[in-house]
Every structure is written in structure tokens, then in C-alpha cells.
Amino acid sequence: MVEQIKNQIKEIIENKYEITNLVVEDGKIDNVDISVPLFAISKNLRKNPKLIFDEISPLLELKEIKEIVFLNGFLNINLNREAISENVIKKVLAEKTSFGNSNYNKDEVVVIDYSSPNIAKSFGLGHIRSTMIGNAIKNLYLKTGAKVIGINHLGDWGTQFGKMIVAYKKWGKKEEVEKNPIAELQKLYVRFHDEAKENENLEQEGRDAFRKLELNDPEMVELWTWFREESLKEFMEIYDTLKVSFDSYAGEAFYNDKMDDVVLELENKNLLKVDDGATIVDLEEFNLPPALIKRSDGATLYMTRDLAALFYRLKTYKFTRAIYVVGNEQKLHFEQLKSITKLMGYNLDIEHVGFGLLMVDGKKMSTRGGKFKRLEDIITQIVSDANVAITEKNPNLKNKEEVSKAVGIGAIIFNDLKNERNLNVDFNLENMLKFEGQTGPYIQYSSVRITSILKDQKIDLDKIDYSYFNQDHYYNAVKTIANFPKIVERATESRNPSVIAKYLLDLASQFNHFYGKQKIVVEDIRHLNTNLSLISSIRDILDEGMRILGITSLKEM
């Protein structure tokens, strides 16, 4: 409702002075709900801001506005707290977790490429970033009315599989791999790179093996298929644990028979050049280095495959926007991808949603160098730690294992998503599991505390006294609640789940401030219903915000 009032104010003033882009913002000082800076109008009209204020004030006779004040060049507005609060509370109580749903993106068909782990390697801690950022963005687009296709572009092709095959044939034992496929294959992959430091021929052997795989050599295909099937079993267990799902698991290998058409189209449009034996697309006009389409030995590269995938998705899903949730280090690749499509005559909305590294003890993880942490091991550890913490707080909790799992995994997810996605994230199990501060357990516990208060209570909408919302600790909470739809839109527009995470911290803080200041279960029935309606609204939005981020809300902790 506050946003609607701001839009009304904006329209009235813009029509009055025949201007556009008027700034109407939230109040910057205490006890001011809305502010309109008058400096720009004053400068254009060469008129004193106070005179402009006097002209505008009579036009803003809206029932929701309580008073209008001029201060230091600003038109400051205080709203009717009771009317605003009644509107917001009734709306949230009626819509519950649907509050904030909109048709903002109803015309969008969005394909989101995220997670995309590499076959024959364990699902590492580092994969959590793409997986959960992508999942949250998908949820945001769905909440704002878009049709969304989530794609897990599995890394199931490329030279690394040639290396893996070479390593297995040289040092692998079938019985060892069958016992623990992913861990054993990963050891072989690390050994390959260790050995390659002393044996220069190994890298070429890996490339040769992959080339055979591309040419459908039966032995290579059989090994590759085995590696892929075993990897998917482990991946699906992880996705089930994280409660993340995809609409497509078509990996890189899926596009093997679709790349020739891309190369032919590039050739027909005279976009290909041969440089030192390699086939490239010159991107000099975009101030970018050339994009490699084929190596000198004819092997395809990531760019060829990504172009094939892009055009397949365009044909299959008819998307309006293609989003790639991939680390910041791939920025150049996606700039090249977008530039090539422009040269080909396409006008596609392609966006690289980058993110920083996940750091452990200040260092980057690397499978190749053996500096790697399996997500499964991390989850086991944090769930165990959560169980210890919960046992101390609530030893008689019945579903302790289930709660510990939700708290532990929620802690990992929130620790990631509370940060601006472009920044590196420090991974510290002890800090992220605290029940106070900027953590997932703090948000979950705030919701649980409200659920505990609401237990055995029933809200009577006809017995709410909105005059209580004239008090700051009531009204400030309502204003934060009212902001949720705008927060959802802002997070979607910026493709940045941290906007939601930070909002949830603010809302939880508002509740805990209210809880510390105000006795909630009181004898007066109208006062009681007022309190219950407010905290129930807070709880619904906390739960919905957590759902968007991929965090499980709880009834007990």
C-alpha cells in the first residue's frame, strides 16, 4: 500500500509540473514515511522550494496521508498509521505466504542454467554457490509470475574425461572404483595432474582419449557412460538433501549432434576464420579476444557447445531471457557468447549472473590440486554440530534429527546467500551455526518463537485495535512487512538473493525488538488480537522468504 501511495504522489506532482522521473523515496529521518526532494523542480522552475511545497500540498489530500511538512527542501509526508496498518495486516493475514506474489514478470520465459557439476567428481562445497543462487533466482521469478525452466547443464563432456579415462586405464582398479566410484575417480584425476607435472606426454594422451570419445570409440564410450551414471546417483542424493530440482538435466554430451549445425551457420554467415590451425570467430569489434570454435585437431570447445545449447533452448522453450549462474571467472566467456549471437543476427537477452569464490581458511578450493571439500561431508558435520546445539537448548525435542538437518543445511545456505553474490564468501561452520546474529538459525528461531506464541491461539479479525499501530514499535514492524513485495521485485531485478536475506534479518530483528519491548499475550482481547495479528504476519513472511532462499522453516527447534 505504501508503494501505491508513493506512485500516486509521483503521478500527481509529475502531472502538475509536466515532468518525469520524480524521486519519491522512503523517509530518511525518524517519523517520516515518505520524502520528495524538491531541489530538481526548484532548479528547473527557478522557484523557491517552499513555494513549490505550498503549490503541491493542497493536491495531496489523500485519506492515507496524515500530515505534510516542509523541511530543508524536502516535502515530508507522514501517513495515517492506523489505515496503513489495517490494510497491510488484513492483506497478509488473508494471503499468508502468497503475500508478495505478483505478475511483474508475467510475460517472461526464463531459462536458468545453474549448478552444473562435473561428472566423475564429487559434489564439492564450491558447487553450493551456483546451486543455491540459481535456485533462489528461479523461485524469485516464479513468485513474480514468470515461466521458468531450471537447467542443470551437467559437465559430462570435455578433455577432462579423456584425462579421467587415461588415469583409470593407467592406475585404476575396477573393484576399487566399484566400491566407491566418485572418491576413487577423483583420486585418479588428482593423480593425473600430479603425474603430468613430470610427464609432458600425459596431457596429449588425455586429449587423444577425448578425441576418441568424440568419435564414439566403444571402449571410451563405455567408460564415460559408467562414470556418468555413478556420478548422477550421488548428485541426486545431494539435490534431494538440498530440496533443489531441475526441469532438465541435459548436459554437455546432449549437444554432441547439434554442434555441426552451429558451425555450419557460422560458416554460412562468413564468421569463421582459421588461425594457426584453430577455427575462431573474430570479436575485435567488441574489443574481445577471438572465440575458439574448434581446435586444430578438430575437437569442439565449450563455446561451440554453449552456442548449440543456447539455440536448442531457444527453439524448445522460446525463452525471453537466458540466465547463466556461473562464477565471475567465466565473465569473458559469456561476453563472447553474447557477442557471437549478435554477429549471427540474433537479439537475445543473455545474462551472466556471476558470483565470487567460496573460501576455506582464506584459500580457494581446487579438485585438481586436491584442495577439495565434499559437500556431503560438510553437511554431515554441520548437522552433527546442529544436533549438539539443539540438544543443549531443547533436550526433549522429539524430531531432533529432522530439525538438526534443516538447521544445518539452512545455515550453509544462508551463509552463502546473505552475501552480495559477486563477493567471495568465507566458509566457517562455527560462525554460521550461531543462533544469534546474521545467520540462518537466527531467522529459523525467530519464526519458531512466533509459532510457539501462536500455539493454541486464534486470531479474531473483528477484534483488532489498530490504534496500537500508532506506537513506533508496532508501526515500524508494519512498514517492514509492507516492504516485502518491493523487496521481492528488487531481488528479482538484480538477480541477487542477498536482498531477500538481508530483509529477513531486518524483519527478524523487528520482531525480536517488538518481543523484547511488548508483552504479547495480554488479557485485553483486542490488544491480544492486535499483537497476534502482527507477529503472525511477520512469521508468514519469514517463512516465505526462507522458502525463496531454499531454507526449511520449522515449527520447533
Side-chain angles (χ1 to χ4, degrees), residues 178-231:
E178 286 177 340
K179 285 180 192 174
N180 197 348
I182 305 303
E184 192 62 29
L185 289 171
Q186 198 156 285
K187 285 180 188 176
L188 292 171
Y189 185 75
V190 171
R191 181 172 178 179
F192 179 94
H193 286 281
D194 286 341
E195 297 277 351
K197 294 173 185 175
E198 305 296 330
N199 183 355
E200 296 179 358
N201 296 325
L202 271 181
E203 290 287 348
Q204 186 58 48
E205 287 184 45
R207 287 191 288 271
D208 291 342
F210 176 58
R211 184 61 181 150
K212 287 181 180 179
L213 180 59
E214 284 197 303
L215 295 172
N216 290 317
D217 177 279
E219 181 188 13
M220 304 297 157
V221 171
E222 183 181 357
L223 286 171
W224 172 82
T225 303
W226 180 36
F227 296 164
R228 189 181 193 278
E229 289 174 352
E230 293 299 332
S231 297

Side-chain angles (χ1 to χ4, degrees), residues 81-83 85-86 89-90 459-471 474 524-534:
R81 292 186 171 189
E82 291 184 38
S85 300
E86 181 174 3
I89 295 297
K90 283 184 175 179
I459 301 172
D460 188 340
L461 294 176
D462 295 325
K463 293 180 180 178
I464 296 175
D465 185 348
Y466 289 100
S467 67
Y468 284 103
F469 288 96
N470 285 308
Q471 299 177 60
Y474 282 85
D524 183 85
I525 193 65
R526 296 182 69 81
H527 194 183
L528 172 64
N529 276 281
T530 304
N531 293 342
L532 297 180
S533 68
L534 177 61

Side-chain angles (χ1 to χ4, degrees), residues 211 214 259-267 271-275 277-283 289-308 311 333 336-337 340-341 343-344:
R211 184 61 181 150
E214 284 197 303
M259 289 183 290
D260 287 346
D261 289 342
V262 172
V263 175
L264 182 61
E265 184 176 350
L266 288 167
E267 188 175 347
L271 295 174
L272 295 181
K273 292 182 179 180
V274 177
D275 183 19
T279 304
I280 66 166
V281 174
D282 191 334
L283 299 175
L292 296 173
I293 302 300
K294 281 187 178 183
R295 284 206 312 256
S296 56
D297 63 1
T300 53
L301 293 152
Y302 286 121
M303 186 60 71
T304 327
R305 205 168 298 275
D306 275 354
L307 284 166
F311 294 135
H333 173 81
Q336 290 177 315
L337 178 70
I340 291 173
T341 62
L343 289 176
M344 295 175 78

Side-chain angles (χ1 to χ4, degrees), residues 43-58:
K43 183 177 180 180
N44 289 338
L45 298 180
R46 297 183 178 180
K47 187 181 290 188
N48 188 292
K50 180 60 170 67
L51 294 177
I52 294 171
F53 170 83
D54 292 337
E55 292 174 352
I56 293 173
S57 297

Side-chain angles (χ1 to χ4, degrees), residues 13 17 19 22 38-46 52 56:
I13 298 175
Y17 295 111
I19 58 175
L22 178 74
L38 302 177
F39 307 108
I41 302 175
S42 172
K43 183 177 180 180
N44 289 338
L45 298 180
R46 297 183 178 180
I52 294 171
I56 293 173

Side-chain angles (χ1 to χ4, degrees), residues 317-489:
Y317 305 116
K318 298 177 175 57
F319 65 77
T320 58
R321 174 171 294 172
I323 294 175
Y324 295 86
V325 185
V326 184
N328 287 337
E329 62 272 18
Q330 294 298 320
K331 180 181 178 182
L332 173 60
H333 173 81
F334 290 103
E335 287 178 345
Q336 290 177 315
L337 178 70
K338 190 168 186 175
S339 299
I340 291 173
T341 62
K342 287 181 179 178
L343 289 176
M344 295 175 78
Y346 296 96
N347 183 26
L348 302 179
D349 191 343
I350 300 170
E351 181 178 3
H352 170 219
V353 174
F355 53 85
L357 299 170
L358 195 59
M359 312 292 283
V360 177
D361 299 326
K363 297 177 182 178
K364 176 184 175 181
M365 289 168 291
S366 168
T367 310
R368 181 179 298 184
K371 297 174 182 177
F372 182 83
K373 290 185 180 292
R374 294 172 72 236
L375 181 59
E376 187 177 0
D377 295 338
I378 295 295
I379 288 175
T380 299
Q381 179 63 54
I382 198 167
V383 169
S384 175
D385 292 348
N387 193 300
V388 171
I390 290 167
T391 299
E392 290 178 1
K393 286 181 172 290
N394 190 355
N396 298 319
L397 185 65
K398 292 179 181 178
N399 56 337
K400 199 182 301 178
E401 299 302 321
E402 181 184 337
V403 172
S404 298
K405 187 175 180 180
V407 170
I409 293 171
I412 293 173
I413 293 171
F414 194 83
N415 180 70
D416 188 315
L417 298 185
K418 73 180 181 181
N419 294 279
E420 292 288 337
R421 57 176 169 77
N422 283 310
L423 301 177
N424 293 341
V425 174
D426 181 55
F427 193 87
N428 184 300
L429 287 177
E430 184 179 350
N431 289 340
M432 70 177 71
L433 203 53
K434 292 178 179 177
F435 284 74
E436 295 179 353
Q438 299 185 358
T439 69
Y442 172 67
I443 305 297
Q444 287 172 313
Y445 187 64
S446 297
S447 172
V448 166
R449 178 175 276 179
I450 296 173
T451 298
S452 176
I453 297 169
L454 292 173
K455 190 177 181 181
D456 301 325
Q457 299 282 357
K458 187 175 180 180
I459 301 172
D460 188 340
L461 294 176
D462 295 325
K463 293 180 180 178
I464 296 175
D465 185 348
Y466 289 100
S467 67
Y468 284 103
F469 288 96
N470 285 308
Q471 299 177 60
D472 287 346
H473 62 295
Y474 282 85
Y475 186 59
N476 288 338
V478 166
K479 286 202 295 183
T480 303
I481 291 169
N483 264 339
F484 185 58
K486 182 176 72 174
I487 290 293
V488 170
E489 288 185 8

